[in-house]
Amino acid sequence: VIYKKYSCQTCYKANEVIIEVDYCSQTNDLIEDCYICCNPNTISYISENKKITFFNVEKHIEIKGISITEKGD
């Protein structure tokens, strides 16, 4: 288990997420609510050999039951 810090993509405040690194070479997607503003963030990561090799956070938007992720520039 790794504790990873990230910035909320809505309010840009610091947050932390617990990452399970037991899944090898597989992209994992999580939706985590910000501790400050409660807006959801989509977190994608890949872990290999108990280390995070890819980590990305994007704003998560839901419209009438359809989830989408807003890609930043």
Side-chain angles (χ1 to χ4, degrees):
V1 172
I2 294 176
Y3 294 88
K4 181 77 173 164
K5 294 184 180 190
Y6 70 94
S7 294
C8 172
Q9 296 300 292
T10 301
C11 71
Y12 303 103
K13 299 292 183 183
N15 281 264
E16 189 172 65
V17 65
I18 298 171
I19 301 288
E20 288 288 335
V21 291
D22 293 333
Y23 307 109
C24 293
S25 301
Q26 175 181 339
T27 301
N28 297 283
D29 295 312
L30 309 169
I31 298 173
E32 290 284 321
D33 290 340
C34 174
Y35 300 139
I36 309 300
C37 71
C38 299
N39 284 298
N41 293 276
T42 299
I43 299 171
S44 300
Y45 70 92
I46 298 173
S47 63
E48 292 182 28
N49 299 322
K50 303 212 181 247
K51 294 180 182 175
I52 297 172
T53 58
F54 173 79
F55 186 83
N56 187 52
V57 181
E58 296 176 344
K59 187 185 293 188
H60 182 83
I61 301 170
E62 189 166 325
I63 301 170
K64 294 185 180 182
I66 300 171
S67 293
I68 60 173
T69 301
E70 181 180 89
K71 297 206 181 271
D73 295 331

